[in-house]
Amino acid sequence: MMSGQRLQGCRSLHLNEDNGRFVLLAILIIVYLLCGAAVFSAIERPSELRAHGRWNGTLRNFSETFNISLQELNSFLKQYEAAIAAGIRADALRPRWDFTGAFYFVGTVVSTIGFGMTTPVTVAGKVFLIFYGLMGCAATILFFNLFLERIITLLAVAMKAVRERRIRNSGILPPGIRHDFSAYSLPGWKPSVYHVMLILGLSAITISCCASAMYTPVEGWAYLDSLYFCFVTFSTIGFGDYVSSQSAAYEYQALYRVANFLFMLTGVCCIYSLFNVISIVIKQVLNWMLEKMSCLFCQRCNKASTFLGRRNAIRPGSKGRHGPFGQPPESDGPYDSDTEGRRLSGEMISMKDLAASNKVSLAIMQKQLSESANGYPRTVCGSSRHNGFSGGVGALGIMNNRLAETSNSR
């Protein structure tokens, strides 16, 4: 009795697989944020303190030199900060709200980059931005998802063609099959998520290196700063400390702006696809961690459930063999037959149970054959739960059944 209560209480504390994965991911993200905050604080905090010291010294020297009070100087600096927010700088910059500047702004809005260099200051502009960004961001996310679907399909076709050629050229196929191999080769083959991640990672690195080679001479940045700008922009973080195409004039200005737009578009699409593929790998790691944790925390529950299952199991053929008050019969005499002994040990089942289980199995098999013959898609709830991937929405729904690790046919 106590074992049954303990088992029931422990089962009530268990989470299903999706909720357990969600909770574990939330805990890991919190730990990741804490570690990142500790690292960045240790790296950047000393530099911030030194900058504050230099700036306070500069303000005191300026106040003493020109006989201006610190209160008046701070009021002037606040007005200058407001002018910077409106797009006024000491250096010669391009107009913020001409047509090309506004086009650059709406591009950063719908792509969710949001550099912060240009912001609306009027009430009408702020209200319009809310509705404009609502539709624009949704449409851009749909575009990214469609791009992800096509890039994975393209990679799958290319990788399958390479695999077919490698098998055809390996010499392991008979001569008569080599010519018609492509007609029925590799049925149901899907690329591995690790291969797709490697290809997308190399593509993102190549695009970032080429874009940095363009930004370094044109914008006057260091090459490492250009790489930093590419990652911040392509990942749609968009700090705004480095922003391209902001000077008033460039050499070959039209060509540079077109190249800047193309690099941003391809870079954002590539990094978005890479992030989603990496999320599949993270999900696999979470599944592995949940499996290990279930083995660690449920050893006692598994032992209790195994004991109760064996003790309360219904032995086919044991009906009517109980003694008085439900006690087992005397076991002094031999069994009537060897078959009866095996039935008492649970090694055999009755014909009634066998027929019932066969009816269920036959119904499931008929349903699967009917769906296969009619071309119906498989349901996601069965095998996707088995491999730890649900159907999902958005990017996860697109990648489901398109990669080997998320396929239902694994």
Side-chain angles (χ1 to χ4, degrees):
M1 184 68 180
M2 294 298 296
S3 299
Q5 292 178 353
R6 190 188 311 118
L7 176 63
Q8 184 178 2
C10 187
R11 283 179 177 175
S12 64
L13 294 177
H14 285 182
L15 298 173
N16 60 30
E17 187 178 356
D18 289 337
N19 291 335
R21 191 185 302 112
F22 174 78
V23 172
L24 180 59
L25 181 60
I27 293 174
L28 291 178
I29 289 178
I30 292 174
V31 174
Y32 192 76
L33 292 175
L34 293 175
C35 295
V39 172
F40 280 109
S41 178
I43 294 175
E44 299 294 336
R45 181 59 177 170
S47 178
E48 181 187 17
L49 295 177
R50 290 193 297 268
H52 274 290
R54 289 194 301 267
W55 177 245
N56 291 331
T58 301
L59 286 181
R60 286 194 298 268
N61 293 333
F62 189 87
S63 175
E64 294 173 357
T65 302
F66 296 95
N67 197 17
I68 300 176
S69 64
L70 291 176
Q71 184 177 2
E72 294 176 347
L73 185 57
N74 288 327
S75 177
F76 174 77
L77 292 176
K78 289 180 180 179
Q79 295 178 2
Y80 179 67
E81 290 175 355
I84 291 178
I88 301 173
R89 295 294 182 92
D91 300 329
L93 298 178
R94 57 181 291 182
R96 295 290 181 89
W97 292 109
D98 61 348
F99 183 78
T100 56
F103 184 80
Y104 191 88
F105 167 73
V106 296
T108 61
V109 169
V110 299
S111 62
T112 69
I113 296 176
F115 285 124
M117 294 290 294
T118 304
T119 56
V121 295
T122 61
V123 175
K126 293 177 181 179
V127 173
F128 179 71
L129 175 64
I130 295 174
F131 295 98
Y132 184 84
L134 181 65
M135 297 299 298
C137 292
T140 306
I141 290 175
L142 176 62
F143 174 79
F144 289 159
N145 288 332
L146 295 178
F147 177 86
L148 173 64
E149 182 179 6
R150 279 149 182 78
I151 195 65
I152 291 181
T153 303
L154 178 62
L155 291 176
V157 171
M159 294 170 66
K160 184 176 181 180
V162 172
R163 188 178 180 86
E164 289 178 354
R165 176 172 296 184
R166 186 177 300 174
I167 295 176
R168 189 183 293 110
N169 295 335
S170 62
I172 61 176
L173 298 175
I177 301 181
R178 295 180 184 177
H179 302 287
D180 301 331
F181 179 69
S182 60
Y184 53 87
S185 62
L186 303 177
W189 182 87
K190 296 179 178 65
S192 173
V193 64
Y194 303 103
H195 294 161
V196 175
M197 182 176 64
L198 178 62
I199 294 174
L200 288 175
L202 293 176
S203 301
I205 292 174
T206 302
I207 294 173
S208 299
C209 290
C210 294
S212 299
M214 179 187 71
Y215 292 134
T216 298
V218 176
E219 298 289 349
W221 301 334
Y223 189 78
L224 183 60
D225 293 336
S226 299
L227 286 175
Y228 163 80
F229 165 76
C230 288
F231 176 77
V232 170
T233 303
F234 298 164
S235 60
T236 69
I237 297 175
F239 288 127
D241 48 352
Y242 289 91
V243 181
S244 61
S245 187
Q246 293 299 306
S247 297
Y250 293 96
E251 188 177 2
Y252 307 107
Q253 180 167 322
L255 180 62
Y256 172 66
R257 289 182 176 176
V258 171
N260 181 44
F261 173 77
L262 293 178
F263 272 125
M264 285 190 177
L265 178 63
T266 55
V268 169
C269 291
C270 189
I271 291 293
Y272 176 83
S273 303
L274 179 62
F275 283 171
N276 283 283
V277 174
I278 292 176
S279 68
I280 295 296
V281 178
I282 295 175
K283 200 170 186 180
Q284 286 183 323
V285 175
L286 293 176
N287 293 335
W288 177 81
M289 294 177 66
L290 287 176
E291 182 180 357
K292 295 299 181 182
M293 291 172 63
S294 63
C295 294
L296 291 176
F297 291 117
C298 294
Q299 289 180 354
R300 183 173 300 177
C301 296
N302 290 335
K303 292 179 180 179
S305 62
T306 303
F307 173 74
L308 289 176
R310 290 178 179 175
R311 188 184 66 180
N312 299 326
I314 299 175
R315 310 293 191 201
S318 61
K319 183 177 180 181
R321 293 186 57 87
H322 296 285
F325 307 105
Q327 298 296 326
E330 297 294 335
S331 57
D332 297 337
Y335 293 111
D336 295 338
S337 64
D338 184 60
T339 303
E340 187 69 18
R342 284 198 300 266
R343 281 197 284 166
L344 282 176
S345 65
E347 295 180 13
M348 296 184 63
I349 63 175
S350 64
M351 294 299 297
K352 182 179 179 180
D353 295 336
L354 179 62
S357 63
N358 285 338
K359 288 180 181 179
V360 175
S361 301
L362 182 61
I364 295 175
M365 186 180 299
Q366 289 176 347
K367 180 180 179 182
Q368 292 176 348
L369 290 175
S370 176
E371 291 179 352
S372 300
N374 295 327
Y376 294 157
R378 302 180 187 178
T379 56
V380 182
C381 59
S383 51
S384 64
R385 294 281 183 181
H386 175 71
N387 60 21
F389 291 92
S390 57
V393 295
L396 289 179
I398 290 172
M399 289 187 293
N400 190 39
N401 295 329
R402 291 182 179 271
L403 299 174
E405 287 75 10
T406 61
S407 174
N408 285 338
S409 59
R410 286 187 67 209

